[in-house]
């Protein structure tokens, strides 16, 4: 049975301490309501609900994910729309880690839920929250399918050469240590949108997508199939991010342990929460970084330079992996809104077929657009990502 074309889906993104949600109509991309419950497990939770151009914020005790779902239900009851009348046909759940086997969205049953739970070893900060969120939502919406959409699924197409770390093979196989990649829902959605926007066929395009938000990742996509990506076993590998270091020498751990007595936990926290733009400049938000840059702050300039240098590194690597590049696309908060990052990334690459149009690059817009010159061999684009819409579409496809 398939759902009516205008039917709404509830999309839930359950993190370890937050629950973000959208009630949307996948067929039209209309968002009926959206919001978040933050600081789950802390003494006071923060609840925000947006509907019909209005935003409502409140505070309440939210000890766990059941309470977060209850808070969500209260928001809909108090401010609308009425969830009982909404006719929800599916609940789509973002799940960060699907391991090596979940290569597509699945309807959640007990076996799927226990597999997601078992994958928590690979994503201890993310999968337990997703499991708690799914369980709580199943209790509240028992009659509709719950669909898990995995952040890793798009990258299960990587070849062994691309996903294998050069460490003892048996150890890696026994503990499923390999590159998985994350942000897959966004990379897939954006690459499909590029093909539609250009009026071409996905299978004909060699693409590089740069997802630059708080977390950042790059991907190389041949004919709609991902062949490489910068995040690895965890979301720490690859590009410089808001608070994450991205690539460092793997011996940094033993150096810090031997020289400073730092524990593995302390080093992990430092690399995940105190590094990246924040570690280099003191701020992790690009809007704050831009203020420091405007004030001539030297450390902010270094942070931008390191960020862009790493982007060029991956751009070059993926250009060579692909052999021929047709499109380069910037997406997510920084990618969509920061001309300096886009200009820096492609600066000096006219010889490789990448020519940015400075005026198009500077123009502010919320829609998909080309920012390269007509003569640029590679089409450079900005495409807003929409992970919730992508999850909603994938969820409704399984009803
Ligand atoms: P997340 O990874 O949390 O989904 P986003 O894609 O929302 O992140 O990106 C968040 C980051 O994008 C912010 O920290 C900020 O640095 C940057 N950003 C968002 N809007 C703008 C803007 N208008 N100008 C510059 N940077 C922006």
């Amino acid at each position: 049975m398939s759902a009516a074309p205008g039917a709404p889906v509830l999309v839930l993104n359950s993190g370890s301490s937050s629950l973000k949600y959208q009630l949307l109509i996948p067929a039209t991309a209309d968002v009926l309501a959206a919001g978040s419950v933050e600081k789950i497990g802390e003494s006071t939770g923060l609840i925000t609900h947006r509907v019909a151009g209005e935003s409502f914020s409140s505070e309440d005790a939210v000890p766990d994910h059941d309470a977060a779902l209850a808070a969500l239900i209260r928001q809909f009851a108090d401010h609308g729309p009425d969830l009982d009348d909404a006719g929800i046909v599916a609940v789509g759940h973002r799940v960060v880690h699907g391991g090596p086997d979940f290569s597509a969205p699945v309807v959640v049953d007990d076996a799927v839920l226990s597999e997601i739970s078992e994958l928590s070893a690979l994503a201890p900060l993310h999968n337990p929250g997703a499991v708690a969120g799914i369980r709580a939502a199943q209790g509240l919406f028992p009659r509709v399918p719950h669909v898990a959409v995995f952040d890793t699924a798009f990258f299960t197409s990587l070849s062994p050469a691309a996903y294998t770390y050069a460490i003892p093979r048996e150890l890696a196989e026994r503990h499923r240590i390999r590159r998985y990649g994350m942000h897959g829902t966004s990379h897939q959605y954006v690459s499909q949108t590029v093909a539609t926007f250009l009026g071409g066929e996905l299978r004909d395009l060699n693409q590089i997508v740069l997802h630059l938000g708080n977390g950042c990742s790059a991907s190389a996509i041949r004919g709609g199939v991902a062949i490489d990506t910068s995040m690895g076993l965890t979301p720490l590998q690859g590009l410089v991010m808001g608070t994450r270091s991205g690539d460092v020498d793997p011996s940094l751990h033993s150096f810090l342990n031997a020289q400073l007595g730092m524990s593995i936990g302390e080093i992990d926290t430092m690399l995940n929460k105190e590094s990246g733009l924040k570690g280099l400049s003191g701020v992790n938000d690009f809007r704050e970084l831009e203020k420091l840059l405007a004030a001539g702050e030297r450390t902010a300039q270094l942070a931008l330079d390191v960020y862009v240098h790493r982007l060029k590194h991956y751009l070059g690597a993926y250009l060579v992996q692909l052999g021929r590049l047709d499109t380069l696309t910037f997406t997510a908060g920084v990618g969509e809104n920061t001309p300096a990052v886009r200009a820096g990334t492609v600066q000096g690459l006219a010889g490789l077929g990448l020519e940015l149009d400075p005026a198009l690059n500077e123009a502010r817009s919320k829609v998909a657009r080309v920012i390269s010159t007509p003569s640029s061999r590679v089409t450079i684009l900005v495409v807003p990502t929409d992970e919730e819409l992508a999850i909603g579409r994938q969820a409704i496809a399984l009803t």
Side-chain angles (χ1 to χ4, degrees), residues 210-354:
L210 301 176
H211 175 112
L212 310 177
N214 280 316
C216 301
S217 59
S219 68
I221 302 166
R222 180 181 287 134
V225 178
I227 64 160
D228 213 344
T229 191
S230 59
M231 282 182 169
L233 174 71
T234 74
L236 182 58
Q237 197 179 350
L239 299 173
V240 176
M241 316 187 202
T243 62
R244 281 173 251 168
S245 61
D247 297 335
V248 292
D249 185 329
S251 291
L252 183 61
H253 286 75
S254 54
F255 177 86
L256 291 170
N257 177 258
Q259 299 296 316
L260 305 175
M262 286 176 78
S263 69
I264 292 289
E266 286 169 340
I267 298 167
D268 203 48
T269 301
M270 182 202 79
L271 294 175
N272 276 290
K273 304 231 162 96
E274 294 150 17
S275 296
L277 295 174
K278 186 177 180 198
L280 292 170
S281 72
V283 298
N284 62 289
D285 192 297
F286 235 93
R287 287 161 287 202
E288 298 299 318
L289 189 76
E290 285 180 322
K291 284 185 204 153
L292 296 180
L293 285 167
E297 188 63 56
R298 204 176 42 83
T299 54
Q301 188 59 52
L302 177 65
L304 179 65
D305 292 346
V306 174
Y307 188 94
V308 167
H309 187 89
R310 187 79 51 84
L311 279 167
K312 274 187 183 297
H313 175 90
Y314 276 92
L315 178 57
Y318 291 172
L319 221 144
V320 172
Q321 297 285 6
L322 288 164
R324 184 202 81 223
L325 182 64
D326 299 309
T327 64
L328 169 68
T329 307
F330 292 87
T331 191
V334 177
E336 291 165 29
N337 294 297
T338 314
V341 165
R342 300 191 295 251
T345 305
V346 298
Q347 191 187 4
L349 302 186
L352 294 172
L354 292 117

Side-chain angles (χ1 to χ4, degrees), residues 10 12 14 19 21 37 64-76 83-84 88 90-91 93 132-146:
L10 182 63
L12 299 180
S14 308
L19 168 71
Y21 59 88
V37 183
D64 53 26
H65 285 81
D66 281 317
L69 253 295
L72 171 155
I73 297 290
R74 262 197 318 280
Q75 294 304 304
F76 279 97
L83 276 183
D84 293 329
I88 292 171
V91 181
H93 297 268
I134 292 171
R135 283 218 175 92
Q138 283 178 323
L140 279 169
F141 304 99
R143 272 186 270 283
V144 298
H146 288 251

